[in-house]
Amino acid sequence: MTAPALAERIAGVVRRAAGGKEGPIPLHEPCFAGSEWNFVRECLDSGWVSSVGSFVDRFERALEDFTGAPHAVAVVNGTAALHLCLLLAGVEPGDEVLIPALSFVATANAVAYCGAVPHFVDSEISTLGVDPVKLARYLEEIALPSPGGCRNRMSGRPIRALVPMHTFGHPADLQGLSELCGRFGLALVEDAAESLGSRYRGAHTGTFGLLGAVSFNGNKIVTTGGGGAILTGDEALARRARHLSTTAKLPHRWAFRHDAVGFNYRLPNLNAALGVAQMEELPAFLSAKRRLAAYYREEFATLAGASFFAAPEGCQSNYWLNALLLAPELAGLRDRLLDELNDRGIMARPAWEPLHRLPPYLDAPRMELSTAEGLADRIINIPSSPALGLALERSTPVNHGEQGEQP
């Protein structure tokens, strides 16, 4: 199939989902359908718009209730959340941290902020996340047991943590990765930036590791404009996260005393007001996005040259971004297809450039990365906004249950 023909077919499916809407169809736009205006106005009227206020507390409680995490700490963005997660997990300058090569650059940047070294690992096709079987074989070759964990026999550096990222909202193999971390003495820190609302075997992503990081950027399923959060089951770590994210200032009525190098990372009350309203709408957003994914899956079932990526077995995905996977023989058409789709007003995009190919990380250690590289060459993300699923819900009764997902 040629790129123009494939683009025409994909564009037709997306426009039907949008109810025949003309003009550009965004990849993922926010949806403000609830109490956002009222809560933001209430915040403005109160005068409490910075990092202290009732909406910050309410937002954290809403996250805890929804995810089941005992503790949530709201911060300014997902990268800040991951940075603090790594520091709290004991990552120190000179350590190595295992991260997927197929991820957004923030995953690697957060490691670099700690003075640590990203160590890139491969993905698996079934989840798009870190491959625990392949990684275990690799660590058997390069990891030496050492007190409190393991050490890279090639570099001599400690390997401190593993950071799986739940790609496009699809949970990675958390059981396999948890077992691997236990075997090699690694801290498991989840990059759950894209997976609010996704569950692995019934439990929410971001709650399996020592800590998890979530994002509320403007293109996420729930947005606070910017924003992120740390999820943890450890009360002491949560308390430390709050302290470090507020410049490590010791409580006092008027004195400015700080007992550590802290960060100005706390989420402002104004942003949290938006988040509280968005959390109220989250169940509807998830229903709409799963309905859209089911529609795409059905419409693209007979698409020659590409397949729709569905949630892994035993998982419930939020389908943050819907993905088409080109057949290997059509990988060379990816960029032409993206041009054709965007020319038609369908704002499609590729996956990220694999991190080991970026200039800051060209010299970073890595395992063999053929699967991640192949996926990056073949993935195309198509419009995934909740509004498309809501439009489908109004027009057509589609069953949004996915094979392998929880109901």
Side-chain angles (χ1 to χ4, degrees):
M1 180 175 284
T2 65
L6 192 52
E8 189 66 28
R9 173 76 187 281
I10 295 170
V13 170
V14 174
R15 290 217 177 269
R16 286 196 295 276
K21 173 186 173 182
E22 297 183 1
I25 299 180
L27 182 68
H28 197 288
E29 61 182 341
C31 181
F32 303 119
S35 301
E36 288 87 355
W37 281 102
N38 291 335
F39 288 172
V40 170
R41 185 180 298 111
E42 181 181 336
C43 182
L44 292 172
D45 289 343
S46 74
W48 293 92
V49 297
S50 193
S51 57
V52 177
S54 63
F55 281 108
V56 176
D57 296 334
R58 288 173 61 181
F59 186 48
E60 290 177 339
R61 300 295 83 74
L63 288 170
E64 292 165 357
D65 291 344
F66 184 84
T67 65
H71 307 283
V73 181
V75 294
V76 292
N77 55 55
T79 309
L82 187 55
H83 178 205
L84 282 181
C85 283
L86 292 170
L87 291 175
L88 293 165
V91 173
E92 298 179 348
D95 287 349
E96 293 182 8
V97 177
L98 303 170
I99 67 171
L102 186 65
S103 184
F104 182 54
V105 70
T107 311
N109 287 348
V111 175
Y113 297 164
C114 298
V117 179
H119 189 146
F120 298 114
V121 302
D122 207 12
S123 301
E124 59 180 348
I125 291 179
S126 60
T127 67
L128 306 181
V130 172
D131 185 333
V133 175
K134 189 173 181 179
L135 179 55
R137 289 198 298 264
Y138 175 66
L139 290 176
E140 287 168 0
E141 295 176 2
I142 65 104
L144 290 172
S146 66
C150 64
R151 187 175 294 272
N152 185 339
R153 71 168 71 238
M154 308 301 293
S155 68
R157 292 185 290 253
I159 304 176
R160 189 70 61 191
L162 169 65
V163 183
M165 195 273 289
H166 304 301
T167 311
F168 309 140
H170 302 304
D173 181 355
L174 286 165
Q175 179 177 341
L177 295 172
S178 296
E179 292 171 355
L180 181 148
C181 285
R183 178 181 170 190
F184 289 95
L186 304 172
L188 179 62
V189 175
E190 292 178 69
D191 184 344
E194 302 173 358
S195 63
L196 182 66
S198 298
R199 295 179 180 273
Y200 177 87
R201 299 187 179 182
H204 199 284
T205 55
T207 65
F208 286 80
L210 181 64
L211 302 120
V214 185
S215 172
F216 308 109
N217 189 34
N219 65 352
K220 295 301 190 291
I221 189 168
V222 158
T223 184
T224 58
I230 297 164
L231 305 179
T232 184
D234 189 309
E235 183 178 0
L237 289 179
R239 188 164 54 247
R240 186 66 175 167
R242 287 194 175 86
H243 183 59
L244 290 178
S245 66
T246 49
T247 68
K249 182 180 181 296
L250 297 172
H252 194 278
R253 287 196 302 169
W254 46 262
F256 286 87
R257 298 193 179 101
H258 308 260
D259 64 355
V261 176
F263 306 89
N264 191 13
Y265 277 176
R266 214 53 176 117
L267 184 71
N269 199 46
L270 189 60
N271 298 80
L274 188 62
V276 171
Q278 288 271 286
M279 287 298 295
E280 292 180 350
E281 297 297 308
L282 180 54
F285 293 164
L286 288 167
S287 178
K289 289 178 70 63
R290 289 170 182 150
R291 178 177 290 271
L292 176 63
Y295 166 79
Y296 280 154
R297 184 176 183 177
E298 181 178 344
E299 290 293 316
F300 292 130
T302 59
L303 181 63
S307 58
F308 178 76
F309 189 87
E313 185 73 23
C315 298
Q316 188 178 27
S317 176
N318 67 2
Y319 286 98
W320 171 57
L321 286 185
N322 291 294
L324 292 174
L325 191 60
L326 296 176
E329 62 272 17
L330 297 183
L333 294 181
R334 189 200 69 177
D335 291 357
R336 175 71 188 282
L337 178 58
L338 287 169
D339 281 337
E340 293 281 351
L341 286 168
N342 280 274
D343 286 346
R344 289 167 169 78
I346 306 300
M347 295 186 180
R349 74 167 205 192
W352 317 272
E353 184 73 15
L355 298 179
H356 65 287
R357 295 176 177 170
L358 300 179
Y361 302 115
L362 291 176
D363 296 328
R366 69 203 60 171
M367 66 185 292
E368 191 272 330
L369 298 169
S370 57
T371 301
E373 291 172 342
L375 286 169
D377 291 341
R378 296 164 53 203
I379 288 172
I380 287 179
N381 292 125
I382 57 176
S384 304
S385 303
L388 297 177
L390 292 170
L392 280 172
E393 191 170 10
R394 289 190 292 268
S395 62
T396 309
V398 178
N399 178 9
H400 62 262
E402 286 291 332
Q403 182 179 358
E405 290 198 352
Q406 305 297 322

